[in-house]
């Protein structure tokens, strides 16, 4: 069987013919081996204009052939070699032709682009570049192209629930705003924006469109004021839900503050360092503790410490989420807030005050139950953090944005006759 037969099987080009193949390199002066496949247009096929996509009469042929990198075979690079024609287009004038195996001015064939982009979902971009003997830049360009295609062809119909989340990136206080679809049946990252200002979220709604925004039923977010304002303005009909994940985060921050402060005081007064290394004991959900941690926590709870009281209040709050009826959940919330306000635990009182002032949005959670995928925001938040952490090579915002869409976007790809990976 010839290579030509395989090529015609995996990637047949109706208007073009695979011709001669040759093997280059492998010698001492050029150790990189490659297979070059000459391609020519089928007799009396007309070139297609790269401006408008219409076929037209040929004008002339370019001087030197172009090399398009194809999916490697057995670790050997494969290139399609083709001399581009120019087309005399009625609309666009004289233009270089469009070829079906590559987009625009890219030197990679579309098949290779999708091949690299698919691998970039499983490995880091650096690893993909290493494994396939290519450059980081080419992997990035491939992922970018896949993301652009996916975003242009993505179906945004029927989005009823979205989650808005913010994530720190880079050192210092730089934020990204991420918007996810969190419908029970379908989820994915919809949009990424730099910063977390009013303007940032307004840009999302402009992109999403007025009609689609008007059919949103649930919007999950945290208590960040600019988000609350924009949602109230742009999707007033949707039930705005303060979600469990973001509230748990706020409580954890408060507890940690109380614990750290108290640990410092105990040390200053010369007590035993009982609060040392207890951060995760107090922050983890009790069912997630390890066998070693459990007795340590039990011991710690015997002390009358502010950190312990804060921990117990946090644990108690978990019951809130178990309610079915918004009414009884509201009663529970009020009692919890009253108790916390009497606790003299300032950071936790701050949380209680803010829960009180957003009572209605909190109770919306119980109306949304079942319609939204509750753990989705938390899951996405973890994955996004991981993507950002893995992405130490990303110096630019663009690279970061592309990586997030690629890993979390659930974006479609084009229909293909053969999947190379
Ligand atoms: Zn044209």
């Amino acid at each position: 069987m010839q290579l030509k037969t395989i090529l015609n099987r995996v990637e047949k080009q109706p208007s073009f013919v695979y011709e001669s193949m040759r093997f280059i390199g492998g010698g001492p002066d050029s150790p990189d081996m490659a297979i070059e496949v000459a391609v020519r247009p089928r007799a009396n096929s007309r070139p297609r204009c790269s401006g408008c996509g219409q076929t037209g009469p040929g004008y002339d042929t370019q001087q030197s052939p172009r090399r398009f990198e194809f999916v490697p075979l057995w670790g050997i690079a494969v290139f399609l070699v083709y001399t581009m024609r120019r087309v005399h287009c009625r609309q666009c004038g004289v233009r270089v032709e469009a070829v079906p195996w590559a987009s625009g001015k890219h030197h990679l064939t579309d098949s290779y682009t999708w091949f690299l982009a698919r691998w970039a979902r499983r490995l880091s971009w650096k690893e993909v570049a290493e494994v396939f003997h290519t450059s980081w830049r080419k992997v990035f360009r491939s992922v970018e192209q896949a993301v652009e295609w996916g975003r242009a062809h993505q179906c945004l119909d029927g989005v009823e629930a979205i989650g808005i989340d913010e994530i720190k990136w880079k050192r210092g206080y730089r934020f990204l705003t991420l918007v996810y679809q969190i419908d029970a049946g379908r989820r994915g990252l919809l949009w990424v924006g730099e910063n977390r200002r009013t303007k940032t979220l307004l840009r999302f709604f402009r992109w999403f469109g007025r009609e689609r925004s008007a059919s949103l039923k649930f919007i999950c977010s945290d208590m960040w004021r600019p988000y609350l304002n924009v949602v109230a303005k742009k999707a007033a009909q949707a039930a705005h839900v303060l979600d469990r994940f973001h509230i748990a985060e706020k409580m954890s921050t408060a507890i940690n503050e109380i614990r750290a402060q108290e640990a410092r005081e105990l040390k200053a007064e010369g007590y035993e360092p009982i609060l040392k290394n207890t951060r995760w004991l107090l922050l983890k959900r009790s069912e997630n503790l390890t066998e070693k941690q459990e007795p340590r926590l039990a011991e710690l709870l015997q002390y009358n410490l502010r950190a312990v009281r804060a921990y117990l209040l946090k644990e108690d709050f978990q019951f809130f989420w178990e309610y079915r009826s918004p009414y009884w959940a509201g009663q529970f919330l009020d009692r919890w807030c009253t108790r916390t306000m009497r606790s003299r635990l300032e950071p936790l009182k701050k949380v209680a005050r803010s829960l009180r002032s957003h009572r209605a949005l909190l109770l919306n959670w119980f109306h949304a139950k079942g319609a939204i995928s509750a753990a989705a925001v938390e899951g996405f938040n973890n994955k996004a953090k991981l993507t950002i952490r893995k992405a130490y090579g990303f110096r630019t915002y663009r690279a970061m944005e592309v990586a997030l869409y690629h890993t979390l976007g659930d974006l479609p790809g084009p229909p293909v006759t053969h999947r190379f990976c």
Side-chain angles (χ1 to χ4, degrees):
M1 183 170 54
Q2 284 191 317
L3 195 51
K4 205 187 283 187
T5 318
I6 305 176
L7 268 171
N8 276 317
R9 183 70 66 86
V10 297
E11 193 157 288
K12 195 167 173 60
Q13 304 292 357
S15 310
F16 298 85
V17 184
Y18 295 116
E19 274 201 322
S20 58
M21 325 237 153
R22 71 185 186 122
F23 197 73
I24 55 167
D29 16 297
S30 59
D32 289 338
M33 292 187 283
I35 297 168
E36 287 190 341
V37 182
V39 182
R40 67 162 176 80
R42 225 170 262 285
N44 58 43
S45 80
R46 280 149 72 88
R48 195 172 286 281
C49 167
S50 58
C52 63
Q54 297 296 315
T55 53
Y59 181 76
D60 63 359
T61 313
Q62 282 188 339
Q63 299 286 312
S64 46
R66 250 192 234 180
R67 279 155 58 98
F68 297 90
E69 196 166 357
F70 196 70
V71 183
L73 182 68
W74 295 331
I76 305 169
V78 177
F79 292 93
L80 305 184
V81 182
Y82 178 69
T83 310
M84 308 286 278
R85 293 170 290 174
R86 290 205 295 172
V87 49
H88 200 156
C89 175
R90 270 200 302 190
Q91 274 189 51
C92 319
V94 175
R95 282 288 191 114
V96 69
E97 73 174 313
V99 289
W101 56 81
S103 322
K105 287 186 174 146
H106 290 281
H107 293 284
L108 304 190
T109 58
D110 290 340
S111 294
Y112 192 36
T113 297
W114 284 101
F115 176 87
L116 291 176
R118 282 211 184 88
W119 275 107
R121 275 224 179 91
R122 302 178 173 214
L123 306 174
S124 76
W125 296 359
K126 197 167 157 255
E127 284 166 325
V128 175
E130 277 165 13
V131 170
F132 297 105
H133 306 290
T134 183
S135 65
W136 187 92
R137 184 94 210 138
K138 279 185 187 166
V139 178
F140 164 62
R141 290 289 305 149
S142 299
V143 176
E144 188 180 39
Q145 208 182 317
V147 163
E148 277 166 6
W149 195 96
R151 290 194 28 93
H153 293 84
Q154 153 185 56
C155 172
L156 294 172
D157 296 341
V159 180
E160 292 190 341
I162 59 170
I164 305 164
D165 193 15
E166 89 240 357
I167 271 191
K168 254 187 232 159
W169 76 297
K170 284 196 169 174
R171 262 157 272 146
Y173 287 85
R174 309 219 12 208
F175 284 89
L176 300 174
T177 296
L178 292 94
V179 184
Y180 308 105
Q181 175 178 13
I182 53 166
D183 284 295
R186 188 156 179 239
R187 317 172 202 176
L189 174 66
L190 291 174
W191 190 84
V192 185
E194 212 170 348
N195 292 320
R196 52 164 184 172
R197 304 199 190 110
T198 305
K199 258 203 264 175
T200 320
L201 196 57
L202 280 174
R203 270 174 44 223
F204 162 75
F205 280 105
R206 201 174 313 136
W207 168 82
F208 196 55
R210 192 172 295 176
E211 218 168 286
R212 277 194 283 260
S213 304
S215 34
L216 287 172
K217 290 194 176 139
F218 298 104
I219 299 179
C220 271
S221 81
D222 72 355
M223 292 174 263
W224 181 241
R225 186 38 67 191
Y227 291 167
L228 298 181
N229 293 344
V230 174
V231 168
K233 197 169 146 203
K234 290 290 172 183
Q237 82 293 342
H240 194 165
V241 183
L242 293 182
D243 68 281
R244 181 175 181 161
F245 163 63
H246 281 113
I247 290 160
E249 256 194 350
K250 287 252 179 323
M251 284 208 195
S252 294
T253 313
I255 286 171
N256 206 34
E257 208 181 309
I258 294 167
R259 186 198 62 85
Q261 167 79 21
E262 194 169 30
R264 275 195 300 274
E265 285 173 20
L266 289 175
K267 195 179 171 200
E269 288 161 23
Y271 286 101
E272 253 185 279
I274 37 172
L275 279 173
K276 212 177 164 193
N277 302 327
T278 55
R279 183 171 174 196
W280 297 111
L281 284 185
L282 296 174
L283 295 188
K284 264 189 178 176
R285 284 194 206 153
S286 48
E287 65 264 27
N288 295 339
L289 289 177
T290 63
E291 257 176 62
K292 257 186 168 172
Q293 286 172 326
E294 260 177 62
R296 277 208 64 200
L297 179 67
E299 196 203 325
L300 188 64
L301 293 184
Q302 294 174 355
Y303 292 94
N304 183 18
L305 291 168
R306 293 205 301 279
V308 168
R309 281 190 290 130
Y311 167 82
L312 293 174
L313 280 168
K314 179 202 81 169
E315 281 296 289
D316 193 34
F317 192 78
Q318 298 301 323
F319 292 108
F320 174 70
W321 305 109
E322 309 299 325
Y323 281 91
R324 278 163 185 245
S325 132
Y327 175 80
W328 291 111
Q331 298 290 308
F332 176 89
L333 179 67
D334 296 340
R335 280 200 310 277
W336 187 89
C337 288
T338 309
R339 267 170 58 211
T340 305
M341 292 310 286
R342 288 183 193 139
S343 70
R344 281 175 289 152
L345 302 164
E346 205 38 60
L348 212 51
K349 278 165 74 176
K350 214 172 111 195
V351 176
R353 268 194 292 271
S354 112
L355 293 183
R356 258 184 187 168
S357 65
H358 298 102
R359 190 177 189 273
L361 302 193
L362 262 170
L363 295 180
N364 272 343
W365 164 271
F366 300 92
H367 297 291
K369 257 188 178 178
I372 59 173
S373 135
V377 177
E378 180 168 16
F380 279 129
N381 183 281
N382 289 335
K383 275 195 209 155
K385 277 186 191 152
L386 191 70
T387 306
I388 292 173
R389 204 164 37 222
K390 249 174 45 181
Y392 39 80
F394 302 169
R395 301 232 168 71
T396 62
Y397 171 73
R398 177 64 182 155
M400 169 67 57
E401 185 186 29
V402 164
L404 286 168
Y405 281 128
H406 193 54
T407 23
L408 305 174
D410 189 25
L411 294 173
V416 285
T417 41
H418 177 74
R419 276 182 75 123
F420 289 88
C421 61

